[in-house]
């Protein structure tokens, strides 16, 4: 096996496409929002008077841990790593039902749902763009370049 086949760098050596940079920034923004929300829930759980302190702490820790997925994906996208598109797409697909639930609320959550839906759809469009796919060195089905007959 040659080093050419095991390399994780994309075939193109040009600059990173703006679409890929924007997708990475949106993923990082989502990760940052999850982390801030998780820390906020943790602080309120410890310093405030929540109905259930254990539930507040568990929810806060869960959000902080979930923030790692889009943050790691954003770092990988910026570094042009092909593996990073999968976690980034998964993050956006998970965000869509959350946005839908926020839009169903009769409260201040509706603007948050709108913002999350816009970011998720925009990120998905940027991530499946052919320019992004080429920059990450991702080949379509049947284009793996193998020797199968």
């Amino acid at each position: 096996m040659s080093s050419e086949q095991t390399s994780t760098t994309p075939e193109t050596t040009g600059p990173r496409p703006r679409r890929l940079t924007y997708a990475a920034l949106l993923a990082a923004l989502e990760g940052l929002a999850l982390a801030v929300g998780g820390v906020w829930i943790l602080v309120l759980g410890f310093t405030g008077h929540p109905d259930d302190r254990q539930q507040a702490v568990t929810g806060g820790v869960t959000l902080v841990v979930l923030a790692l997925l889009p943050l790691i994906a954003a770092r990988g996208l910026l570094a042009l790593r092909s593996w990073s598109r999968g976690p980034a797409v998964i993050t956006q697909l998970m965000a869509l039902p959350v946005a839908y639930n926020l839009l169903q609320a009769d409260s201040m959550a509706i603007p948050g749902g709108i913002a999350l839906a816009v970011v998720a759809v925009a990120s998905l469009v940027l991530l499946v763009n052919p320019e992004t796919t080429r920059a990450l060195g991702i080949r379509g089905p049947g284009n793996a370049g193998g020797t199968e007959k």
Side-chain angles (χ1 to χ4, degrees):
M1 186 177 262
S2 71
S3 63
E4 204 175 285
Q5 292 172 336
T6 60
S7 175
T8 59
T9 58
E11 292 177 0
T12 59
T13 58
R16 181 177 47 248
R18 279 190 293 172
R19 289 181 175 117
L20 187 56
T21 303
Y22 295 153
L25 290 175
L26 289 175
L29 177 68
E30 286 175 324
L32 183 62
L34 281 169
V36 168
V39 170
W40 181 65
I41 290 173
L42 277 172
V43 169
L44 287 179
F46 285 125
T47 62
H49 301 288
D51 293 337
D52 185 357
R53 185 172 307 249
Q54 183 179 2
Q55 186 177 9
V57 170
T58 302
V61 169
T62 301
L63 285 180
V64 170
V65 171
L66 282 175
L68 294 175
L69 183 66
L71 290 172
I72 291 170
R75 185 168 186 237
L77 289 171
L78 287 175
L80 297 175
R81 302 288 187 234
S82 62
W83 59 263
S84 62
R85 190 174 83 155
V89 168
I90 289 169
T91 299
Q92 306 319 314
L93 293 176
M94 289 179 359
L96 290 173
V98 174
Y100 178 78
N101 283 333
L102 291 173
L103 290 170
Q104 299 303 310
D106 291 329
S107 67
M108 294 297 293
I110 292 174
I114 293 169
L116 182 57
V118 167
V119 168
V121 170
S123 294
L124 283 170
V125 168
L126 292 169
L127 289 166
V128 299
N129 184 281
E131 185 179 344
T132 300
T133 303
R134 276 191 302 277
L136 292 173
I138 298 172
R139 298 183 182 131
N143 295 326
T147 58
E148 295 178 17
K149 293 183 182 180

